[in-house]
Amino acid sequence: MDLGVTEFDGWNGGVDIDGVQAFACTLYLAHHPESARFWWRFAAAAGDNGAAYCLYLDHLSLGEEREARFWKKQVTATLVRSSPSHTDPDPEEIVDALDTWTS
C-alpha cells in the first residue's frame, strides 16, 4: 500500500519544540541523562540547534567522539542553511567559539 508520503515535513506540527528542549535539559539536570538524550534527539530532529549542541556536548563528555562529531556537523549544517548571506561568520567558527565557553 503506497501512501505517497516521501517527506516528513510537518511531522512535528503542534509540538512545542522549545518546550521539548527545556524538558530534556530539566531531565538531564535531574540526573536522567538517558531520558534527556531521547528528547534532545526529538528536538534536534525538528531542527533545534540547542538540542543538537547538547547532544554534541553529552557525547563529548562520555568520550564518544564519533557521535559528538555527528552532532557538531548537524549544528553546523543547520547554521549554514539558515544563514541569510555569505557575510555571516563561518558556522564552524561559531561552534568552536561555543566550545571555549563549555571547556
Side-chain angles (χ1 to χ4, degrees):
M1 178 168 147
D2 180 21
L3 299 177
V5 177
T6 58
E7 295 182 14
F8 291 106
D9 289 343
W11 67 269
N12 61 340
V15 176
D16 178 7
I17 297 302
D18 292 333
V20 170
Q21 162 68 338
F23 180 60
C25 290
T26 303
L27 285 168
Y28 187 82
L29 292 172
H31 305 287
H32 296 284
E34 297 85 10
S35 298
R37 280 182 212 109
F38 171 84
W39 292 107
W40 278 330
R41 287 183 190 114
F42 182 91
D48 187 286
N49 270 337
Y53 190 70
C54 287
L55 286 164
Y56 163 66
L57 293 176
D58 185 52
H59 285 293
L60 271 183
S61 73
L62 297 171
E64 299 170 346
E65 293 181 22
R66 180 175 173 237
E67 290 85 355
R69 280 192 308 272
F70 171 81
W71 288 109
K72 183 177 182 179
K73 191 176 188 179
Q74 293 300 107
V75 172
T76 303
T78 304
L79 289 172
V80 168
R81 282 194 304 272
S82 65
S83 175
S85 70
H86 297 290
T87 60
D88 292 337
D90 177 26
E92 189 77 25
E93 290 176 12
I94 293 170
V95 176
D96 289 342
L98 288 172
D99 285 346
T100 63
W101 291 96
T102 58
S103 326

